[in-house]
PDB file of all heavy atoms in Angstrom:
ATOM      1  N   PHE A 842     103.435  59.755  62.419  1.00 98.00           N
ATOM      2  CA  PHE A 842     104.735  60.095  63.008  1.00 98.00           C
ATOM      3  C   PHE A 842     104.673  59.757  64.511  1.00 98.00           C
ATOM      4  O   PHE A 842     104.448  60.676  65.329  1.00 98.00           O
ATOM      5  CB  PHE A 842     105.046  61.591  62.804  1.00 98.00           C
ATOM      6  CG  PHE A 842     105.069  62.003  61.365  1.00 98.00           C
ATOM      7  CD1 PHE A 842     103.904  62.424  60.720  1.00 98.00           C
ATOM      8  CD2 PHE A 842     106.232  61.956  60.642  1.00 98.00           C
ATOM      9  CE1 PHE A 842     103.923  62.793  59.374  1.00 98.00           C
ATOM     10  CE2 PHE A 842     106.262  62.336  59.286  1.00 98.00           C
ATOM     11  CZ  PHE A 842     105.101  62.729  58.663  1.00 98.00           C
ATOM     12  N   ASP A 844     106.707  59.338  66.757  1.00 98.00           N
ATOM     13  CA  ASP A 844     107.628  60.105  67.627  1.00 98.00           C
ATOM     14  C   ASP A 844     107.472  61.603  67.435  1.00 98.00           C
ATOM     15  O   ASP A 844     108.374  62.382  67.752  1.00 98.00           O
ATOM     16  CB  ASP A 844     109.070  59.666  67.389  1.00 98.00           C
ATOM     17  CG  ASP A 844     109.564  59.975  65.982  1.00 98.00           C
ATOM     18  OD1 ASP A 844     108.737  60.296  65.093  1.00 98.00           O
ATOM     19  OD2 ASP A 844     110.787  59.893  65.758  1.00 98.00           O
ATOM     20  N   PHE A 846     107.097  65.368  67.703  1.00 98.00           N
ATOM     21  CA  PHE A 846     107.475  66.227  68.814  1.00 98.00           C
ATOM     22  C   PHE A 846     107.208  67.702  68.464  1.00 98.00           C
ATOM     23  O   PHE A 846     107.062  68.045  67.279  1.00 98.00           O
ATOM     24  CB  PHE A 846     108.947  66.067  69.164  1.00 98.00           C
ATOM     25  CG  PHE A 846     109.916  66.574  68.133  1.00 98.00           C
ATOM     26  CD1 PHE A 846     110.297  67.918  68.135  1.00 98.00           C
ATOM     27  CD2 PHE A 846     110.376  65.749  67.124  1.00 98.00           C
ATOM     28  CE1 PHE A 846     111.175  68.399  67.144  1.00 98.00           C
ATOM     29  CE2 PHE A 846     111.243  66.237  66.131  1.00 98.00           C
ATOM     30  CZ  PHE A 846     111.626  67.572  66.160  1.00 98.00           C
ATOM     31  N   ILE A 866     108.302  71.530  64.832  1.00 98.00           N
ATOM     32  CA  ILE A 866     107.549  70.280  64.930  1.00 98.00           C
ATOM     33  C   ILE A 866     108.255  69.322  63.994  1.00 98.00           C
ATOM     34  O   ILE A 866     108.717  69.679  62.899  1.00 98.00           O
ATOM     35  CB  ILE A 866     106.068  70.463  64.548  1.00 98.00           C
ATOM     36  CG1 ILE A 866     105.390  71.370  65.578  1.00 98.00           C
ATOM     37  CG2 ILE A 866     105.366  69.113  64.434  1.00 98.00           C
ATOM     38  CD1 ILE A 866     103.919  71.600  65.341  1.00 98.00           C
ATOM     39  N   GLY A 867     108.349  68.057  64.421  1.00 98.00           N
ATOM     40  CA  GLY A 867     109.011  67.069  63.576  1.00 98.00           C
ATOM     41  C   GLY A 867     108.709  65.657  64.057  1.00 98.00           C
ATOM     42  O   GLY A 867     108.024  65.440  65.046  1.00 98.00           O
ATOM     43  N   GLY A 868     109.268  64.717  63.304  1.00 98.00           N
ATOM     44  CA  GLY A 868     109.103  63.306  63.639  1.00 98.00           C
ATOM     45  C   GLY A 868     109.555  62.434  62.500  1.00 98.00           C
ATOM     46  O   GLY A 868     110.002  62.920  61.447  1.00 98.00           O
ATOM     47  N   THR A 869     109.463  61.127  62.719  1.00 98.00           N
ATOM     48  CA  THR A 869     109.854  60.126  61.734  1.00 98.00           C
ATOM     49  C   THR A 869     108.615  59.471  61.167  1.00 98.00           C
ATOM     50  O   THR A 869     107.806  58.930  61.900  1.00 98.00           O
ATOM     51  CB  THR A 869     110.746  59.051  62.394  1.00 98.00           C
ATOM     52  OG1 THR A 869     111.818  59.687  63.115  1.00 98.00           O
ATOM     53  CG2 THR A 869     111.327  58.104  61.362  1.00 98.00           C
ATOM     54  N   GLN A 870     108.476  59.517  59.842  1.00 97.00           N
ATOM     55  CA  GLN A 870     107.271  58.986  59.199  1.00 97.00           C
ATOM     56  C   GLN A 870     107.269  57.460  59.213  1.00 97.00           C
ATOM     57  O   GLN A 870     108.211  56.827  58.737  1.00 97.00           O
ATOM     58  CB  GLN A 870     107.161  59.516  57.759  1.00 97.00           C
ATOM     59  CG  GLN A 870     105.866  59.143  57.109  1.00 97.00           C
ATOM     60  CD  GLN A 870     105.730  59.704  55.706  1.00 97.00           C
ATOM     61  OE1 GLN A 870     106.700  60.119  55.112  1.00 97.00           O
ATOM     62  NE2 GLN A 870     104.535  59.668  55.189  1.00 97.00           N
ATOM     63  N   GLN A 871     106.173  56.875  59.686  1.00 97.00           N
ATOM     64  CA  GLN A 871     106.006  55.412  59.717  1.00 97.00           C
ATOM     65  C   GLN A 871     104.894  54.934  58.797  1.00 97.00           C
ATOM     66  O   GLN A 871     104.962  53.798  58.299  1.00 97.00           O
ATOM     67  CB  GLN A 871     105.737  54.953  61.134  1.00 97.00           C
ATOM     68  CG  GLN A 871     106.879  55.278  62.095  1.00 97.00           C
ATOM     69  CD  GLN A 871     108.154  54.597  61.693  1.00 97.00           C
ATOM     70  OE1 GLN A 871     108.177  53.407  61.378  1.00 97.00           O
ATOM     71  NE2 GLN A 871     109.265  55.343  61.645  1.00 97.00           N
ATOM     72  N   GLN A 880     108.775  56.463  54.060  1.00 94.00           N
ATOM     73  CA  GLN A 880     110.132  56.019  53.725  1.00 94.00           C
ATOM     74  C   GLN A 880     111.020  56.002  54.944  1.00 94.00           C
ATOM     75  O   GLN A 880     112.230  55.879  54.848  1.00 94.00           O
ATOM     76  CB  GLN A 880     110.738  56.975  52.669  1.00 94.00           C
ATOM     77  CG  GLN A 880     109.948  57.015  51.353  1.00 94.00           C
ATOM     78  CD  GLN A 880     110.577  58.006  50.375  1.00 94.00           C
ATOM     79  OE1 GLN A 880     111.793  58.124  50.264  1.00 94.00           O
ATOM     80  NE2 GLN A 880     109.728  58.727  49.660  1.00 94.00           N
ATOM     81  N   GLY A 881     110.400  56.164  56.124  1.00 95.00           N
ATOM     82  CA  GLY A 881     111.147  56.153  57.362  1.00 95.00           C
ATOM     83  C   GLY A 881     112.015  57.418  57.545  1.00 95.00           C
ATOM     84  O   GLY A 881     112.914  57.432  58.378  1.00 95.00           O
ATOM     85  N   LYS A 882     111.713  58.480  56.795  1.00 97.00           N
ATOM     86  CA  LYS A 882     112.487  59.706  56.872  1.00 97.00           C
ATOM     87  C   LYS A 882     111.930  60.625  57.960  1.00 97.00           C
ATOM     88  O   LYS A 882     110.782  60.558  58.332  1.00 97.00           O
ATOM     89  CB  LYS A 882     112.504  60.438  55.554  1.00 97.00           C
ATOM     90  CG  LYS A 882     113.255  59.642  54.475  1.00 97.00           C
ATOM     91  CD  LYS A 882     113.448  60.458  53.215  1.00 97.00           C
ATOM     92  CE  LYS A 882     114.301  59.644  52.247  1.00 97.00           C
ATOM     93  NZ  LYS A 882     114.743  60.471  51.144  1.00 97.00           N
ATOM     94  N   LYS A 883     112.794  61.528  58.422  1.00 97.00           N
ATOM     95  CA  LYS A 883     112.461  62.480  59.475  1.00 97.00           C
ATOM     96  C   LYS A 883     112.220  63.843  58.865  1.00 97.00           C
ATOM     97  O   LYS A 883     112.791  64.167  57.824  1.00 97.00           O
ATOM     98  CB  LYS A 883     113.606  62.567  60.468  1.00 97.00           C
ATOM     99  CG  LYS A 883     113.924  61.306  61.206  1.00 97.00           C
ATOM    100  CD  LYS A 883     115.147  61.527  62.109  1.00 97.00           C
ATOM    101  CE  LYS A 883     115.577  60.252  62.769  1.00 97.00           C
ATOM    102  NZ  LYS A 883     114.808  59.815  63.859  1.00 97.00           N
ATOM    103  N   PHE A 884     111.419  64.638  59.576  1.00 97.00           N
ATOM    104  CA  PHE A 884     111.321  66.051  59.253  1.00 97.00           C
ATOM    105  C   PHE A 884     111.366  66.839  60.550  1.00 97.00           C
ATOM    106  O   PHE A 884     111.070  66.350  61.632  1.00 97.00           O
ATOM    107  CB  PHE A 884     110.029  66.373  58.475  1.00 97.00           C
ATOM    108  CG  PHE A 884     108.811  66.578  59.333  1.00 97.00           C
ATOM    109  CD1 PHE A 884     108.448  67.855  59.755  1.00 97.00           C
ATOM    110  CD2 PHE A 884     108.031  65.515  59.749  1.00 97.00           C
ATOM    111  CE1 PHE A 884     107.308  68.068  60.550  1.00 97.00           C
ATOM    112  CE2 PHE A 884     106.911  65.708  60.540  1.00 97.00           C
ATOM    113  CZ  PHE A 884     106.554  66.982  60.962  1.00 97.00           C
ATOM    114  N   ARG A 885     111.800  68.071  60.420  1.00 98.00           N
ATOM    115  CA  ARG A 885     111.801  69.054  61.499  1.00 98.00           C
ATOM    116  C   ARG A 885     111.607  70.400  60.801  1.00 98.00           C
ATOM    117  O   ARG A 885     112.431  70.791  59.991  1.00 98.00           O
ATOM    118  CB  ARG A 885     113.085  69.034  62.293  1.00 98.00           C
ATOM    119  CG  ARG A 885     113.097  70.052  63.416  1.00 98.00           C
ATOM    120  CD  ARG A 885     114.458  70.076  64.123  1.00 98.00           C
ATOM    121  NE  ARG A 885     114.397  70.937  65.280  1.00 98.00           N
ATOM    122  CZ  ARG A 885     114.422  70.533  66.534  1.00 98.00           C
ATOM    123  NH1 ARG A 885     114.533  69.251  66.817  1.00 98.00           N
ATOM    124  NH2 ARG A 885     114.366  71.403  67.514  1.00 98.00           N
ATOM    125  N   GLU A 886     110.522  71.102  61.126  1.00 98.00           N
ATOM    126  CA  GLU A 886     110.188  72.331  60.416  1.00 98.00           C
ATOM    127  C   GLU A 886     109.698  73.394  61.393  1.00 98.00           C
ATOM    128  O   GLU A 886     108.870  73.112  62.271  1.00 98.00           O
ATOM    129  CB  GLU A 886     109.111  72.046  59.371  1.00 98.00           C
ATOM    130  CG  GLU A 886     108.917  73.107  58.340  1.00 98.00           C
ATOM    131  CD  GLU A 886     110.100  73.255  57.382  1.00 98.00           C
ATOM    132  OE1 GLU A 886     110.831  72.292  57.129  1.00 98.00           O
ATOM    133  OE2 GLU A 886     110.277  74.378  56.906  1.00 98.00           O
ATOM    134  N   GLY A 911     109.019  72.360  52.488  1.00 94.00           N
ATOM    135  CA  GLY A 911     110.182  71.930  53.282  1.00 94.00           C
ATOM    136  C   GLY A 911     109.960  70.566  53.913  1.00 94.00           C
ATOM    137  O   GLY A 911     110.848  69.722  53.923  1.00 94.00           O
ATOM    138  N   ILE A 912     108.747  70.370  54.447  1.00 94.00           N
ATOM    139  CA  ILE A 912     108.443  69.067  55.054  1.00 94.00           C
ATOM    140  C   ILE A 912     108.451  67.972  53.995  1.00 94.00           C
ATOM    141  O   ILE A 912     109.042  66.901  54.187  1.00 94.00           O
ATOM    142  CB  ILE A 912     107.085  69.115  55.785  1.00 94.00           C
ATOM    143  CG1 ILE A 912     107.171  70.034  57.013  1.00 94.00           C
ATOM    144  CG2 ILE A 912     106.619  67.717  56.208  1.00 94.00           C
ATOM    145  CD1 ILE A 912     105.875  70.313  57.697  1.00 94.00           C
ATOM    146  N   ASN A 913     107.786  68.211  52.883  1.00 92.00           N
ATOM    147  CA  ASN A 913     107.726  67.212  51.808  1.00 92.00           C
ATOM    148  C   ASN A 913     109.122  66.864  51.304  1.00 92.00           C
ATOM    149  O   ASN A 913     109.407  65.686  51.049  1.00 92.00           O
ATOM    150  CB  ASN A 913     106.841  67.681  50.674  1.00 92.00           C
ATOM    151  CG  ASN A 913     105.370  67.528  50.990  1.00 92.00           C
ATOM    152  OD1 ASN A 913     104.976  66.578  51.658  1.00 92.00           O
ATOM    153  ND2 ASN A 913     104.543  68.433  50.530  1.00 92.00           N
ATOM    154  N   THR A 914     109.983  67.830  51.166  1.00 94.00           N
ATOM    155  CA  THR A 914     111.336  67.577  50.691  1.00 94.00           C
ATOM    156  C   THR A 914     112.072  66.693  51.701  1.00 94.00           C
ATOM    157  O   THR A 914     112.744  65.735  51.312  1.00 94.00           O
ATOM    158  CB  THR A 914     112.115  68.913  50.485  1.00 94.00           C
ATOM    159  OG1 THR A 914     111.421  69.674  49.490  1.00 94.00           O
ATOM    160  CG2 THR A 914     113.538  68.674  50.061  1.00 94.00           C
ATOM    161  N   GLN A 915     111.956  66.999  52.989  1.00 96.00           N
ATOM    162  CA  GLN A 915     112.608  66.207  54.014  1.00 96.00           C
ATOM    163  C   GLN A 915     112.103  64.757  54.044  1.00 96.00           C
ATOM    164  O   GLN A 915     112.849  63.827  54.333  1.00 96.00           O
ATOM    165  CB  GLN A 915     112.431  66.832  55.393  1.00 96.00           C
ATOM    166  CG  GLN A 915     113.180  68.148  55.553  1.00 96.00           C
ATOM    167  CD  GLN A 915     112.799  68.825  56.855  1.00 96.00           C
ATOM    168  OE1 GLN A 915     113.129  68.306  57.908  1.00 96.00           O
ATOM    169  NE2 GLN A 915     112.145  69.984  56.789  1.00 96.00           N
ATOM    170  N   LEU A 916     110.836  64.567  53.698  1.00 95.00           N
ATOM    171  CA  LEU A 916     110.217  63.239  53.699  1.00 95.00           C
ATOM    172  C   LEU A 916     110.473  62.492  52.393  1.00 95.00           C
ATOM    173  O   LEU A 916     110.077  61.329  52.253  1.00 95.00           O
ATOM    174  CB  LEU A 916     108.705  63.321  53.970  1.00 95.00           C
ATOM    175  CG  LEU A 916     108.317  63.853  55.339  1.00 95.00           C
ATOM    176  CD1 LEU A 916     106.806  63.965  55.468  1.00 95.00           C
ATOM    177  CD2 LEU A 916     108.907  62.965  56.451  1.00 95.00           C
ATOM    178  N   GLY A 917     111.123  63.157  51.439  1.00 93.00           N
ATOM    179  CA  GLY A 917     111.412  62.502  50.162  1.00 93.00           C
ATOM    180  C   GLY A 917     110.272  62.546  49.183  1.00 93.00           C
ATOM    181  O   GLY A 917     110.286  61.852  48.167  1.00 93.00           O
TER     182      GLY A 917
END
Side-chain angles (χ1 to χ4, degrees):
F842 302 89
D844 63 348
F846 69 87
I866 294 181
T869 309
Q870 187 178 15
Q871 298 299 313
Q880 299 178 39
K882 294 189 176 192
K883 298 177 185 282
F884 84 93
R885 180 184 186 110
E886 194 68 28
I912 293 173
N913 282 326
T914 299
Q915 291 173 66
L916 295 176

